[in-house]
């Protein structure tokens, strides 16, 4: 059996529904970088990760710079268990049918 790995870059949430895992991972990375739990998250639809991080930090009374975002981005890649976790994604068309 052949196994394919696919990376979906879905900035506006039109391709996949991750059912909250993105927020959970962002929260863990946010706390790792800022030392504060992420109580709320900025609007995420249609904007880049760096803007989401900056605006979320503002909601927590924090001013951040590019270096902070780079640490945040790096933290999302090394969260415990993430490296060994695989997600099975089934591709469907916009009518919910397999192509």
């Amino acid at each position: 059996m052949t196994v394919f790995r696919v990376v979906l870059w879905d900035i506006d949430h039109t391709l996949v529904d991750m059912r909250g895992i993105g927020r959970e991972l962002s929260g863990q990375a946010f706390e790792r970088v800022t030392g504060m739990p992420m109580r709320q998250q900025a609007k995420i639809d249609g904007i880049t990760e760096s803007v989401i991080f900056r605006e979320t930090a503002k909601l927590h009374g924090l001013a951040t710079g590019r270096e902070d975002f780079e640490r945040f981005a790096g933290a999302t890649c090394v969260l415990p268990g993430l490296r060994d976790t695989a997600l099975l994604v089934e591709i469907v068309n916009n009518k919910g049918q397999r192509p």
Side-chain angles (χ1 to χ4, degrees), residues 19-63:
R19 302 182 190 253
I21 194 166
R23 181 178 168 82
E24 182 180 332
L25 294 173
S26 291
Q28 291 175 26
F30 185 86
E31 185 167 1
R32 184 178 224 167
V33 170
T34 66
M36 296 179 70
M38 188 175 80
R39 296 181 311 277
Q40 56 184 331
Q41 186 176 38
K43 176 184 171 281
I44 62 170
D45 297 334
I47 58 176
T48 63
E49 291 294 324
S50 60
V51 174
I52 295 167
F53 174 74
R54 182 187 69 219
E55 296 303 311
T56 298
K58 283 182 185 178
L59 291 173
H60 292 79
L62 302 171

Side-chain angles (χ1 to χ4, degrees), residues 8-22:
L8 296 176
W9 196 269
D10 185 22
I11 194 168
D12 63 358
H13 303 276
T14 57
L15 299 176
V16 290
D17 179 359
M18 298 302 290
R19 302 182 190 253
I21 194 166

Side-chain angles (χ1 to χ4, degrees), residues 74-92:
T76 61
C77 296
V78 295
L79 293 171
L82 183 61
R83 185 175 300 132
D84 299 323
T85 301
L87 296 174
L88 175 61
V89 178
E90 183 174 338
I91 300 174
V92 296

Side-chain angles (χ1 to χ4, degrees), residues 54-75:
R54 182 187 69 219
E55 296 303 311
T56 298
K58 283 182 185 178
L59 291 173
H60 292 79
L62 302 171
T64 58
R66 184 70 190 174
E67 300 81 22
D68 299 307
F69 171 71
E70 289 173 3
R71 287 181 29 238
F72 170 79

